[in-house]
Amino acid sequence: MSPPVRERRRLAVVLWGVLGVVAVLIEAIYRLGTMAARVLTTHTFTTGQLILLIAWTVVIVYFEGYRGFQQRFSPRVVARALHLAEHRRPLHVALAPLYCMALLHATRRRLIATWALIAGIVALILLVRQMSPPYRAIVDAGVALALAWGTVSILVCLARGLAGRPLGIAPDVPEEAPRPADDAEQLARPAIQAGGPCDP
């Protein structure tokens, strides 16, 4: 396979994984943002509710958007996409967005953390659905903005990763056993370095 073809396939895997994650986030932003905007533009908020809206938005954008996405999730998504592009397996490529979110083929610690986070998000969604419309809109608006921040940070990390700039985070993939060819190369290397009987 020629280098240009390999590079195009590598790029396709990276884009499929990362943009698949971005598509999931955009869908959530649209859904939450639409519901929040409908209430925010038709409901008369009290001063306390407006203060709560501002405070909640600042807190969630900082902790979820900046610390959660920009510093951890976003660079890891791209790092895993780049790793997958170099270590392609058909199933992993097919499920690249899930792979990039560390929902499969990750270290034990990362899998536990990711699935625990998913469970926490589901529980939070169920809780928020029980809130009255103005407070649910306040929560949804803040989360939508945080997700938008996170989406932009993923695209920035993608640009950095494709440019070859370091992302500063590990892909958290399990260590893989070396292939037989690698074992043979490892065994042959000391003999080559020590010099064989036919060396001058």
Side-chain angles (χ1 to χ4, degrees):
M1 189 186 302
S2 64
V5 172
R6 282 199 300 268
E7 194 59 30
R8 284 197 296 270
R9 289 190 177 181
R10 177 178 177 274
L11 178 61
V13 171
V14 172
L15 293 180
W16 161 226
V18 175
L19 296 184
V21 176
V22 168
V24 171
L25 292 174
I26 289 176
E27 189 277 331
I29 293 166
Y30 176 78
R31 180 168 39 83
L32 293 173
T34 301
M35 291 188 295
R38 186 165 55 247
V39 176
L40 292 175
T41 55
T42 58
H43 183 81
T44 301
F45 285 84
T46 65
T47 302
Q49 288 172 335
L50 289 174
I51 292 173
L52 179 61
L53 172 62
I54 295 170
W56 165 250
T57 300
V58 170
V59 168
I60 194 67
V61 167
Y62 175 74
F63 282 102
E64 183 182 349
Y66 174 67
R67 295 194 62 178
F69 273 92
Q70 185 172 328
Q71 293 192 325
R72 295 182 181 89
F73 183 79
S74 300
R76 184 174 293 112
V77 163
V78 177
R80 288 180 63 83
L82 293 171
H83 182 274
L84 177 60
E86 299 296 336
H87 304 83
R88 294 191 294 273
R89 293 181 182 177
L91 179 61
H92 293 166
V93 171
L95 302 176
L98 299 180
Y99 182 101
C100 292
M101 288 189 283
L103 292 171
L104 57 90
H105 195 68
T107 60
R108 178 186 173 93
R109 180 178 178 181
R110 178 53 48 198
L111 284 172
I112 291 173
T114 303
W115 282 104
L117 178 62
I118 294 294
I121 291 172
V122 170
L124 182 61
I125 290 172
L126 295 176
L127 180 63
V128 170
R129 284 182 177 175
Q130 307 306 314
M131 294 181 172
S132 59
Y135 294 100
R136 179 175 176 178
I138 287 171
V139 172
D140 287 347
V143 172
L145 286 173
L147 293 177
W149 182 300
T151 302
V152 172
S153 70
I154 289 176
L155 294 175
V156 171
C157 287
L158 174 60
R160 290 183 59 187
L162 292 178
R165 297 172 61 186
L167 296 168
I169 198 165
D172 282 347
V173 293
E175 290 186 12
E176 299 178 358
R179 293 172 298 180
D182 295 335
D183 290 339
E185 184 181 346
Q186 295 272 344
L187 292 171
R189 190 173 296 147
I192 294 173
Q193 290 175 345
C198 297
D199 289 342

